[in-house]
Amino acid sequence: MTDTREDTIGTRSNARKVHIRTYGCQMNVYDSQRMGDALAGEGYRTTETIEDADLVLINTCHIRERAAEKIYSELGRIRVLKAERAREGRPLTVGVAGCVAQAEGAEIIERASIVDLVIGPQTYHRLPQALERVSRGEKVVDTDYALEDKFEHLPATEPAAIRARGVTAFLTVQEGCDKFCTFCVVPYTRGAEVSRPFAQVLDEARRLAASGVRELTLLGQNVNAWSSSDAAGGTVGLAHLLRALAGIPGIARLRYTTSHPRDMDDDLIAAHGDLPALMPYLHLPVQSGSDRILKAMNRRHTAADYRTLLDRIRAARPDIALSGDFIVGFPGETEADFEATMDLVRAVNYACAFTFKYSPRPGTPGANLPDHVPESVMAERLARLNALIREQQDGFARSLVGAALPVLVEKPGRYAHQLVGRSPYLQPVVLPAGAGAIGDVVTVTIAGTLTNSLVAEGAHPDEAPARLTA
């Protein structure tokens, strides 16, 4: 998925401590959790406080502009801490993981000598072995592609750790990309499309369910390209996997992200109508509404193809809401091309969308294209697109006022009289404290909206001035 976030995972312990800082997509969040799992077996406990850590890992994203520069700035701040720790006789090990690590490899250590370890997203299951080499004085760079090994050797997450993470969980089922969109670095940092075996996915899903997980989000760069062999030896796709997961006791909700329009097959479309557990919310990036730009992006579909596909999906699941990704200012984009994107957005009416200015990624074909759009033009177009998306997002939220929605209760609210849950459409929902227990799916009537959330009847959010009217 293409939204960018920063997250820090951690608890306190007297054991050796690791601070893991995560940038990027949900798959990076999942990878950070699994790195934490791998290190737990080596005696590490995670900490939210970098000053307490014996090991700092930065899990990086290479999608956004100046991603590498931001990481080097972060390393500059950590350099000061490492020097202080050295003077105190408390060594600090520093590692860089993820997609920037994969793309830049040994150059990271050359530019930032405080880094002891560089490990790519395909090899983090080998993190304990890499740290053992670091303890012997080596500078380690481990970025070899080994996706099959990664899936084979993922450490089992302890039930207590699963419970601590809550009633929702990410589950990686596919990694890599074969599409080679000209703007995208993913095929070069994550490698070719590889699917996690059917039996492995089911095993992990059962463990998650047994530890209290109620909602699973299946992750992949092109998750709907997932395929595997079933118990009978036949080839099955994502729809088959979703049906199997829906049959696991305790799993109430299923989602998947991120998808490519070319991989939405008939069976998967039908699953949206057949499976009550499959939430009526689909993230399906299109990037542009201009056929000329889509061709330059190597998307291999047209705007009409995309709209026809959405018509078929909506016919199968009339209550489905759509989310998308858009890149503004791809090289050569004219005002007419941008207006075609605006026309597509108006026609689709998105519940949510992620929008970005084009930024050239080193090594991608798009970086070498002529006619790059000036920054000022990109900024102005992005503002117009964001205004339209915001209008649609607010309109969708208001359309739910008065509706009875099933909400998964996720956690306590900000105040004692509140709970927070999640709607079928991924919106946070503020609930009254008596609505149910964490992990319950409760049906509530939506009474109003806040800036980015819904309010159920009986809840009394203290942020009432921000409320929108129905």
Side-chain angles (χ1 to χ4, degrees):
M1 191 170 181
T2 53
D3 59 319
T4 300
R5 59 172 290 181
E6 178 180 339
D7 195 17
T8 305
I9 62 175
T11 57
R12 298 300 184 94
S13 171
N14 292 325
R16 287 184 298 174
K17 296 178 182 179
V18 56
H19 177 82
I20 306 177
R21 183 157 294 178
T22 308
Y23 295 89
C25 64
Q26 290 96 327
M27 189 172 287
N28 267 18
V29 175
Y30 176 86
D31 282 354
S32 288
Q33 291 175 346
R34 300 317 293 266
M35 281 192 281
D37 294 340
L39 291 169
E42 304 300 312
Y44 282 90
R45 295 293 178 266
T46 53
T47 176
E48 295 178 352
T49 307
I50 191 170
E51 290 80 7
D52 292 344
D54 303 288
L55 167 64
V56 173
L57 291 174
I58 304 175
N59 193 8
T60 61
C61 174
H62 206 262
I63 296 295
R64 299 289 165 259
E65 184 179 9
R66 295 185 295 276
E69 285 74 10
K70 292 175 182 177
I71 298 307
Y72 288 117
S73 295
E74 177 106 3
L75 290 170
R77 292 187 288 271
I78 295 173
R79 179 192 303 276
V80 177
L81 176 62
K82 186 164 183 172
E84 292 174 355
R85 294 284 293 273
R87 289 192 294 270
E88 297 168 0
R90 298 169 56 213
L92 177 65
T93 301
V94 178
V96 177
C99 291
V100 172
Q102 185 69 42
E104 304 216 353
E107 183 181 344
I108 293 174
I109 293 176
E110 293 173 5
R111 288 185 59 179
S113 60
I114 66 160
V115 175
D116 304 290
L117 166 69
V118 176
I119 192 161
Q122 291 79 16
T123 53
Y124 70 76
H125 60 289
R126 300 202 292 259
L127 183 57
Q129 292 80 7
L131 287 171
E132 175 63 27
R133 291 168 58 193
V134 170
S135 72
R136 298 195 298 265
E138 291 185 52
K139 293 278 191 175
V140 177
V141 177
D142 189 352
T143 55
D144 292 338
Y145 284 94
L147 283 171
E148 293 84 354
D149 288 344
K150 173 179 174 176
F151 287 141
E152 181 67 27
H153 299 293
L154 287 173
T157 307
E158 292 296 323
I162 297 172
R163 288 191 290 271
R165 292 170 188 164
V167 296
T168 66
F170 296 132
L171 177 53
T172 290
V173 301
Q174 182 272 342
E175 188 158 354
C177 182
D178 294 341
K179 302 301 186 289
F180 287 94
C181 298
T182 56
F183 56 82
C184 186
V185 74
V186 166
Y188 311 101
T189 57
R190 290 277 181 172
E193 290 177 359
V194 176
S195 296
R196 191 173 180 187
F198 180 69
Q200 282 189 27
V201 176
L202 289 186
D203 285 346
E204 183 171 351
R206 291 188 187 106
R207 287 197 300 272
L208 292 168
S211 297
V213 169
R214 301 282 281 143
E215 177 178 295
L216 288 177
T217 299
L218 308 186
L219 299 180
Q221 267 80 38
N222 282 316
V223 67
N224 55 344
W226 180 90
S227 66
S228 182
S229 297
D230 62 7
T235 300
V236 294
L238 186 63
H240 182 91
L241 176 61
L242 289 164
R243 291 188 174 98
L245 293 170
I248 294 176
I251 298 299
R253 291 182 161 192
L254 295 169
R255 305 181 189 273
Y256 62 91
T257 194
T258 292
S259 302
H260 194 288
R262 291 177 54 223
D263 293 318
M264 288 294 300
D265 62 24
D266 293 344
D267 198 21
L268 184 54
I269 293 171
H272 278 277
D274 298 342
L275 288 178
L278 184 54
M279 290 295 94
Y281 180 86
L282 176 63
H283 184 69
L284 193 63
V286 62
Q287 309 299 355
S288 174
S290 162
D291 288 348
R292 192 177 70 85
I293 295 300
L294 288 169
K295 183 176 181 180
M297 289 177 166
N298 195 35
R299 293 290 290 177
R300 288 180 277 182
H301 63 75
T302 65
D305 293 336
Y306 181 80
R307 290 180 61 176
T308 298
L309 176 60
L310 295 188
D311 289 343
R312 294 176 60 212
I313 294 168
R314 282 172 161 157
R317 187 72 184 262
D319 63 337
I320 202 163
L322 277 302
S323 170
D325 288 347
F326 292 90
I327 295 173
V328 169
F330 189 80
E333 182 187 72
T334 64
E335 181 64 20
D337 293 320
F338 174 71
E339 279 301 327
T341 296
M342 295 287 280
D343 288 343
L344 177 64
V345 172
R346 294 185 189 101
V348 172
N349 195 15
Y350 288 92
C352 178
F354 302 96
T355 61
F356 311 98
K357 291 183 290 186
Y358 173 75
S359 60
R361 311 314 301 139
T364 61
N368 298 319
L369 290 175
D371 302 323
H372 281 241
V373 178
E375 174 69 24
S376 60
V377 175
M378 287 197 290
E380 188 274 334
R381 289 176 183 171
L382 184 66
R384 277 191 279 157
L385 178 58
N386 283 342
L388 177 57
I389 293 293
R390 184 78 236 184
E391 178 184 331
Q392 292 186 349
Q393 183 174 321
D394 290 346
F396 177 72
R398 288 193 296 269
S399 76
L400 298 174
V401 174
L405 292 183
V407 173
L408 174 62
V409 183
E410 291 188 342
K411 59 186 178 181
R414 182 176 178 184
Y415 303 101
H417 60 277
Q418 294 177 353
L419 293 169
V420 175
R422 190 74 58 173
S423 82
Y425 305 109
L426 267 182
Q427 302 133 308
V429 181
V430 181
L431 306 164
I438 291 173
D440 287 348
V441 178
V442 298
T443 298
V444 298
T445 299
I446 303 303
T449 68
L450 300 174
T451 303
N452 291 300
S453 59
L454 305 176
V455 181
E457 277 189 356
H460 301 287
D462 294 72
E463 306 141 78
R467 183 177 300 203
L468 301 172
T469 56

